[in-house]
Every structure is written in C-alpha cells, then in structure tokens.
Amino acid sequence: MSKLSLVLAMILVTAGLVSSCLPQVTTTGQQPDRLPSTVRPAADGAQEIVLVFGHSSADIPDLNRVVEKINSYTSVKINTTVRIVAIPLSNYLQQVKLMLTSQETMDLLMTGNLAFVDFAGQANSNQLLALDHLLDRYGQGILEACGEFLVVGEINGRIYGVESVNDEAPGIALCIRQDMVDQYGLDLSGVSSLEDLEDVFAQLKAAGADREMAIFSPSTAADTGIEVSIRAMGADPLGSNYYYTGVLMDPHDISQPIVNFYETETCLELLRLIYRWNQAGYVMPGILTNREDPQTLIRSNVLMSYLQAYHPAAQGQVNTQCATPMQLVEIQDPLSTTERVGPFIWAIPKHSKLPINAMKFLNLMYSDEVVVNLLDWGIEGTHYVKNEDGSISYPEGVSATTSTYPMNYSFIWGNELLSHILAGEDQDMWVKMKAFNETAPKSQALGFTFNINPVYAEYTACLDVYQRYAKALGSGSVDPDVILPEFLGKLKAAGVEKIIAEKQRQLDLFAEQSGLG
C-alpha cells in the first residue's frame, strides 16, 4: 500500500494493557550515555522489549501467534523477544503522548511526520533517545538500508528516528478504472497535470458516465484532499503537511523566502479549478460527509478515479487495493522531501530500559527477511503461501478481507524492499523501487524538520482554523473567491505570520549548517 493512500495499523492490545510492573533487575551499560538502567528478563532468558504502533483494524486475531513465531527466531538470534502493543489510530497521538509522559514501558515507537504522530515534537521535548552511537554499533543493517535518507530522522545534528524504507520520492498520479477508460474511449496520453484532467472529466460527464458512478474524489475521511492536490503543484511543505506553515515553492532553491501556500496565486487557481469540477458535477456527491477511502468506493462501484502517490510499485498495489485494473497517469514528478520520506519513523523512547535490545530488533526490521515478512504477512502456510515464481498468495479460501492476520502495512515495518510480493504484482518492483529512490530528485531542504514548540499556541489556533476550512476548499464545495480570503484572514488572526517567521528562522539555520546558506 502506498504511503499517500495510507491509513494505518492495529488494536489487539490497548495502551491501558501496557504494564510497567514487570520484574526488574538493576544493571548498567544499556544507555549509550551510560546512565543506570533496568532490564526485564523474559521467561527464556531473552530480554523482552515492548513495541508500540497504531493500526486502523479493530481485530487482528492472529497477532499473538505471529509474535510467538517472531520471538522463537529473535530470542536465538539477538537474545531479544518483543511484545507488540497496538493502539487505534483514532487515539494514537493522545495515547502515545500519555505513555511518554508517564514513562510506561515502551522500547520501540512508531512515530513520524503525519498528523496523528509527532516525531518532531517528541524529539524536541526530549522524549526520544539519540540513536547515533547505537546505530554505529548495532544498526549496520539500518545504515545500509536507509543510506542518505537517514537524514530525515536528524534533529539538531543528532539522529532520533529511522525512516521506514519504501517509496522515498512519490509523485502524484490520477488513478482511474481501466474499464471506464475502455468503455468511454479515453485518451490519457496527453495528461500531465491537474489542469489536463478537466477535459477528461468533461468527456465522461458528456457521455453520461456519472450516472454509473461518481467521476472523481479528491478527498477522503483520512485526507482532506487539498494536501494531495497541493502536492501535485510540486511545493516542499518543509516537514509538515499543513501548507499554511510555510513552503518552498521551488524545492530546489532553499534560498527563496518561504510562503503560506494558501496566499499564492497558484493556490487560488488550483482551488478555482477544483471548484469548477465540483460545480460541473465531476466531484463525488456527498464528498464532505464521505467516510470511505477511494479504494473502498471503487471496489463498491461507487467511484471512478482519485489521486494517488506514484512510484514503481504503485500499479500492482492499486490494482490489488481496488480489486479491479486501474490506469495510473502521472501528473507530478517524483521528489524526495522530509514529509514524503518520513511519514513513518521508528524511535526509541528516552526512558526505555532496553535501548540496545530495541536497536538490535529494529536492525532486524531493516535487514532480516524473516522478521520483515513475519511482520508484513504473518506465518507461511497459515496466512500466505509461496508460489513457484517466488511470489506469494493467500491460502485457498482466504483473502485480504478474511485473513486472520490482516496487517497490510508493509510500508511501516522497517524495510519494505525485503517484503514478499503478491502474485499479480511486478516481481521486480523492489529492484525498480531501489533505483527510483536513488535517482529521484531531492529537495534542498531534505532533512529539515520544523520544531513547532516555539509557536505551539499559534500553531494550535491555526490548525483549528485549517480543520474548519480545508476540506470544503479542497473538495471544491465552496467558492474560493469568497471563502479563501475568509480562511486567510482567520489564519492571520490566529498567528500564522509568526509561525512562518519562526519556520524561516529555523530553515535559514538548517541551510547554514548544511552548507547551503
């Protein structure tokens, strides 16, 4: 599944079940700064670490079976076992904040640059452990897998997190049902921008395609749609996917002043375009109250097309997600930015009692196919079977929706390039992905992460304004010539200019320290 169509992971065990009262024995030498720490001996003598992450599913019946299989392997390989704690995504940010504040037992944490995780805030609040020494000694697999992209986990010159390896420079593509392309004789060869889609949608509308299903959805419950559309404009949001906090309009020129994207003529024209689409009947009716992701809507024959992250693995993944052949048309070139490389980051909480064991286990998530595929797919012969060509399939009578291990989150578990590939998908896609990542253009600000703490009050006030306006504007439900000035006025009153000034100050410092100033 692509990082942009995301919606993530797990709820078998809630945070309230995490016990911090396990047997403890005093020791030293675990922390790289040599502070005293305690260790938790597992029953077999291996040390047990606690891994916390978020999942959208309310039920993963075989999670414990898979964890037992992982532990039988890692207890021998690195003298470490794992207990996986899954928290509902709807409550993930709040629950993790509580766990960090109360220092509940936790050794590996899923964090990142998305709205429901808070890597920068956690690192700048001194809640995460600096990993530099641990990586040098125990993280060779991580260093090799992440390469230059390790920089997205760096804050103030130290590494506090490790990005999940998959598509590191996704572009943007229109995903449209192949059967609709064939039925209505669409020629998409000339489509290379959002503006080019207008003629395609008009042709579908004129042919009555909208009587079969909605033509286009720029928005879902998890994503306002406006951010995806803005990404198609090529700006670098500088580590935050809220574009009012300041962007580089040209990601290859870090010397230019950053701007509030919503104040630009580019944004106004984009919103006018989507508004025209909505007025013309191209946008899915009821978009503001929709709570289904585009893939579900397509599987239900309700929707025809949507915007999607584009990378070498996207075609096969989208076909699988939508359960029907889809045509992908790239409308924005690849670009590596902090936001795109690091939506998911793995970190070790500073209060962890077993940072060395945590790093050893994390290293396996980036270098060991056995661990990666147990996390991604479960147990061979039970949750998947291998085919002669090396691909995998669900066992007879089992599907993605009926599997007792419906993880479907290979993009968060360390190094996805070690993951098995489903039958029907391009069996060379990880080779292509590696080449794609290595050759894609990179923003000059790659690695910059905005510390929001100095302007947190203003940021919170602006976020409230954004959440009241963005979906309506991004779905074309309101006239931007009327509503955008109102939105901008409320952002200004909430302190957006102070946020942008602080972000500019931090970016200038980053550029100077990186030799770009």
Side-chain angles (χ1 to χ4, degrees):
M1 189 172 180
S2 82
K3 288 193 292 192
L4 199 105
S5 54
L6 314 152
V7 209
L8 320 135
M10 220 178 246
I11 183 180
L12 258 178
V13 189
T14 65
L17 297 178
V18 180
S19 170
S20 56
C21 301
L22 296 170
Q24 296 183 341
V25 55
T26 302
T27 186
T28 58
Q30 279 280 307
Q31 297 275 12
D33 55 2
R34 303 194 182 281
L35 292 174
S37 62
T38 57
V39 298
R40 301 183 303 278
D44 60 359
Q47 304 301 324
E48 182 190 66
I49 64 167
V50 175
L51 178 154
V52 174
F53 84 118
H55 198 285
S56 58
S57 173
D59 188 20
I60 306 177
D62 280 356
L63 177 60
N64 288 338
R65 288 184 65 188
V66 173
V67 168
E68 287 176 8
K69 195 76 171 177
I70 291 171
N71 288 341
S72 68
Y73 180 76
T74 60
S75 61
V76 174
K77 194 170 184 71
I78 57 170
N79 195 40
T80 300
T81 61
V82 66
R83 178 155 51 98
I84 294 181
V85 175
I87 300 174
L89 290 179
S90 59
N91 193 41
Y92 189 75
L93 180 61
Q94 296 82 357
Q95 192 62 54
V96 166
K97 185 175 182 179
L98 266 174
M99 294 173 73
L100 287 170
T101 301
S102 61
Q103 298 195 357
E104 292 201 47
T105 302
M106 178 167 43
D107 304 289
L108 277 176
L109 172 67
M110 185 193 87
T111 180
N113 290 308
L114 293 174
F116 58 87
V117 284
D118 186 24
F119 169 65
Q122 292 157 357
N124 284 302
S125 299
N126 201 31
Q127 294 176 316
L128 303 180
L129 187 67
L131 305 179
D132 305 72
H133 299 310
L134 288 172
L135 283 167
D136 287 342
R137 187 165 182 182
Y138 304 105
Q140 294 307 307
I142 294 172
L143 297 175
E144 183 177 346
C146 294
E148 62 185 313
F149 293 115
L150 199 66
V151 71
V152 303
E154 185 176 305
I155 293 180
N156 298 325
R158 304 190 74 182
I159 297 170
Y160 289 90
V162 180
E163 56 97 15
S164 293
V165 177
N166 34 62
D167 48 310
E168 312 289 20
I172 300 291
L174 173 75
C175 294
I176 184 167
R177 294 174 64 115
Q178 187 64 54
D179 56 358
M180 295 292 103
V181 173
D182 297 338
Q183 180 177 338
Y184 293 100
L186 299 179
D187 180 5
L188 303 177
S189 60
V191 173
S192 60
S193 68
L194 278 176
E195 292 84 353
D196 294 336
L197 297 178
E198 193 155 19
D199 289 341
V200 175
F201 295 160
Q203 182 180 339
L204 288 166
K205 177 75 173 180
D210 60 320
R211 292 194 291 269
E212 294 186 57
M213 61 187 75
I215 293 174
F216 177 70
S217 172
S219 176
T220 73
D223 172 37
T224 64
I226 192 172
E227 305 297 353
V228 180
S229 300
I230 290 173
R231 281 184 56 181
M233 301 292 101
D236 182 348
L238 300 172
S240 167
N241 58 348
Y242 297 121
Y243 284 64
Y244 58 81
T245 63
V247 305
L248 274 179
M249 291 300 291
D250 178 359
H252 306 296
D253 182 8
I254 201 171
S255 67
Q256 66 180 283
I258 64 173
V259 297
N260 178 347
F261 183 85
Y262 303 104
E263 288 186 322
T264 67
E265 188 67 23
T266 300
C267 180
L268 179 59
E269 291 305 314
L270 167 66
L271 297 180
R272 283 172 174 166
L273 175 70
I274 298 174
Y275 179 63
R276 284 202 307 272
W277 291 356
N278 195 307
Q279 292 295 101
Y282 307 154
V283 175
M284 185 179 78
I287 190 70
L288 285 178
T289 57
N290 171 57
R291 291 295 180 269
E292 299 285 356
D293 61 74
Q295 296 87 351
T296 298
L297 294 170
I298 286 176
R299 290 196 303 270
S300 303
N301 296 317
V302 172
L303 179 66
M304 199 178 304
S305 68
Y306 67 100
L307 297 180
Q308 155 86 31
Y310 183 79
H311 49 78
Q315 182 68 68
Q317 292 174 341
V318 167
N319 287 349
T320 300
Q321 293 161 15
C322 295
T324 188
M326 302 290 291
Q327 184 165 335
L328 273 62
V329 184
E330 190 173 5
I331 60 173
Q332 170 59 40
D333 292 337
L335 177 69
S336 289
T337 66
T338 299
E339 173 209 23
R340 301 185 194 186
V341 174
F344 300 105
I345 289 174
W346 288 97
I348 298 177
K350 189 166 186 180
H351 70 270
S352 166
K353 306 302 182 184
L354 295 170
I356 290 177
N357 295 81
M359 177 57 69
K360 287 180 177 180
F361 187 87
L362 186 62
N363 191 62
L364 294 184
M365 288 168 55
Y366 287 79
S367 60
D368 192 299
E369 292 186 20
V370 173
V371 172
V372 168
N373 283 290
L374 280 166
L375 288 166
D376 288 354
W377 296 108
I379 301 168
E380 182 179 355
T382 301
H383 304 112
Y384 71 91
V385 293
K386 271 196 173 178
N387 304 313
E388 290 185 4
D389 65 354
S391 67
I392 64 169
S393 303
Y394 289 103
E396 187 176 352
V398 177
S399 68
T401 55
T402 63
S403 173
T404 51
Y405 187 70
M407 186 60 69
N408 301 324
Y409 277 17
S410 60
F411 53 86
I412 73 163
W413 290 113
N415 186 358
E416 189 180 22
L417 307 194
L418 297 178
S419 184
H420 296 321
I421 300 173
L422 280 170
E425 295 188 357
D426 183 354
Q427 297 302 300
D428 293 325
M429 68 181 182
W430 297 142
V431 175
K432 295 175 181 177
M433 185 76 83
K434 188 173 187 297
F436 170 81
N437 290 340
E438 290 172 349
T439 59
K442 297 171 179 59
S443 169
Q444 278 199 330
L446 178 66
F448 171 75
T449 301
F450 182 32
N451 177 11
I452 205 74
N453 288 344
V455 286
Y456 188 77
E458 292 80 6
Y459 174 76
T460 302
C462 287
L463 179 59
D464 179 65
V465 173
Y466 169 86
Q467 290 173 335
R468 284 187 276 125
Y469 283 87
K471 190 167 186 177
L473 283 165
S475 60
S477 300
V478 295
D479 185 346
D481 286 298
V482 175
I483 301 301
L484 184 60
E486 181 181 321
F487 174 47
L488 291 171
K490 290 187 182 299
L491 282 176
K492 186 173 182 179
V496 71
E497 292 176 344
K498 186 176 179 181
I499 296 174
I500 293 174
E502 174 61 23
K503 194 174 194 178
Q504 183 71 68
R505 184 192 69 79
Q506 292 182 27
L507 182 66
D508 291 343
L509 181 61
F510 170 86
E512 180 182 345
Q513 292 174 341
S514 303
L516 299 170

